[in-house]
Amino acid sequence: MLLIYIKRIMNMKILNFGSLNIDYVYKVDHFVMAGETQSSLERNIFPGGKGLNQSVALASAGANTYHAGAIGKNDGIFLKDLMANSNVNVEFVRELDGPSGHTIIQVNKKGNNCILLYPGANFKQDEVYIESVFENFDKGDYIVLQNEINNIKLIMEIAHKKGMIICLNPSPYNERIDELNLDYVDYFLLNEIEAAMMCDCELNTDKDELIKILKKNYPYSKFVLTLGKSGVVYFDNNTYFEHGIYDVPVVDTTAAGDTFTGYFLASVSNEIDIEESLRLASIASSIAVSKNGAAVSIPQLNEVKNSSIKLMK
């Protein structure tokens, strides 16, 4: 039995069916207001997209990671190459006519960001392609989803029928999330705003009230709720854990949530306990915000394990 268990863990795959974007990042004094024209302090072009970022984080944390999605064959090849160089399996990434998805990101002097997204190739996931991808995955494999590609509903239905472990980061939160059967979700990874929208609550609703509603509405799901400067909490119907944030200079928060998601899911899929998974994911996301860019800011597992950063008091 032990050998069977070890073989199952070693053969388990994580499929990330997600977005791949080109990020145009502008450093600004403050976020541009309606009617305002502002000169940027700096511009950089980075690989990004929640899907790409999370795949890089998953692989950096040691997970057996596969990415499915689409890029423009004239502008997005470097996105595929970056994932491949990060030990992500990219055999299911399609190269299509037309532009890749891209974002325009403003980063202010405090390291906060606001993002304008154009989906491009990310919204060209068709049924035939989706079904062909799933032929390569089995019951017990993980699937990671965000809301930056089309046909999420179909992808989730197929994953559920196959018995895969479904992990959803409902971002950006919009009406397409409400169309999904959220009872299928094993792990929700979300922030306070997304939690409030899931609960149909005011955005300033108290954390404890959100937890109460989520546990009632989704009694069989597990939740990771990020709380900004208050850290993160994990809860399900039986357990509750929390973890604080680390004292690092904040340079760019673009990939913080994606780094956390990738590291946490890589850890729990490798049978690491929840408390340690939260710790590793928190350190990784803290390191990421201390660097510029999205995917390029995601640390390797050795850097996370050897980090000497301290929890804020």
Side-chain angles (χ1 to χ4, degrees):
M1 289 298 294
L2 178 59
L3 289 176
I4 294 174
Y5 171 78
I6 293 172
K7 183 177 180 181
R8 179 179 67 82
I9 293 298
M10 291 180 64
N11 292 336
M12 188 272 295
K13 304 173 184 175
I14 297 183
L15 168 63
N16 187 354
F17 221 126
S19 57
L20 301 104
N21 289 331
I22 302 170
D23 290 344
Y24 298 92
V25 181
Y26 296 83
K27 290 288 185 71
V28 295
D29 179 77
H30 58 273
F31 295 146
V32 177
M33 298 179 290
E36 178 188 13
T37 299
Q38 179 187 168
S39 294
S40 63
L41 306 173
E42 184 180 331
R43 189 194 83 152
N44 290 288
I45 300 175
F46 295 110
K50 295 189 73 64
L52 181 148
N53 295 339
Q54 291 177 12
S55 281
V56 172
L58 284 160
S60 296
N64 184 17
T65 308
Y66 292 72
H67 193 99
I71 54 175
K73 62 184 178 183
N74 293 323
D75 64 357
I77 301 301
F78 80 103
L79 303 175
K80 185 176 179 180
D81 290 344
L82 178 136
M83 288 197 300
N85 291 333
S86 300
N87 294 319
V88 177
N89 186 306
V90 295
E91 63 181 290
F92 306 121
V93 176
R94 293 194 298 171
E95 301 171 15
L96 304 178
D97 293 327
S100 298
H102 71 255
T103 61
I104 296 174
I105 302 174
Q106 297 179 59
V107 180
N108 68 14
K109 289 184 175 180
K110 295 182 179 179
N112 297 319
N113 66 72
C114 62
I115 302 174
L116 180 64
L117 171 67
Y118 173 74
N122 293 315
F123 268 39
K124 294 184 178 181
Q125 321 301 326
D126 60 78
E127 184 173 351
V128 173
Y129 163 66
I130 291 169
E131 290 179 344
S132 70
V133 170
F134 276 104
E135 291 175 0
N136 302 276
F137 297 88
D138 299 307
K139 179 179 181 180
D141 287 336
Y142 280 64
I143 181 167
V144 181
L145 298 170
Q146 318 82 30
N147 193 28
E148 290 185 346
I149 63 172
N150 68 313
N151 257 332
I152 292 289
K153 184 175 182 180
L154 174 63
I155 292 169
M156 189 179 289
E157 290 286 345
I158 297 174
H160 176 70
K161 288 178 181 178
K162 291 186 74 77
M164 297 177 72
I165 298 169
I166 299 174
C167 310
L168 177 64
N169 172 210
S171 178
Y173 199 105
N174 54 35
E175 66 280 355
R176 296 199 308 136
I177 297 295
D178 296 327
E179 297 171 358
L180 305 177
N181 188 337
L182 297 181
D183 289 332
Y184 291 166
V185 178
D186 296 283
Y187 286 91
F188 288 95
L189 299 105
L190 66 174
N191 61 29
E192 289 176 285
I193 294 174
E194 293 150 1
M197 296 178 77
M198 271 186 65
C199 296
D200 197 23
C201 294
E202 297 293 330
L203 296 185
N204 60 351
T205 299
D206 180 73
K207 173 199 70 175
D208 293 335
E209 181 64 18
L210 292 176
I211 292 174
K212 179 181 177 181
I213 295 171
L214 290 171
K215 288 173 68 174
K216 178 182 178 182
N217 291 349
Y218 307 100
Y220 304 108
S221 299
K222 304 173 179 66
F223 290 86
V224 178
L225 178 60
T226 56
L227 304 168
K229 293 182 178 179
S230 298
V232 59
V233 298
Y234 166 94
F235 59 93
D236 54 38
N237 253 348
N238 300 309
T239 56
Y240 176 94
F241 298 100
E242 57 185 45
H243 195 86
I245 62 172
Y246 290 86
D247 189 9
V248 296
V250 177
V251 175
D252 184 351
T253 60
T254 304
D258 297 332
T259 303
F260 186 97
T261 293
Y263 262 81
F264 179 82
L265 292 176
S267 298
V268 296
S269 68
N270 282 320
E271 304 292 324
I272 295 175
D273 66 64
I274 295 299
E275 288 183 284
E276 178 64 4
S277 297
L278 290 175
R279 189 185 74 86
L280 291 172
S282 297
I283 292 174
S285 61
S286 296
I287 293 172
V289 303
S290 69
K291 304 176 183 178
N292 281 309
V296 295
S297 72
I298 297 170
Q300 294 296 308
L301 183 58
N302 283 342
E303 183 180 358
V304 173
K305 288 185 173 181
N306 296 325
S307 174
S308 60
I309 61 175
K310 304 295 184 183
L311 278 169
M312 292 187 71
K313 297 180 179 179

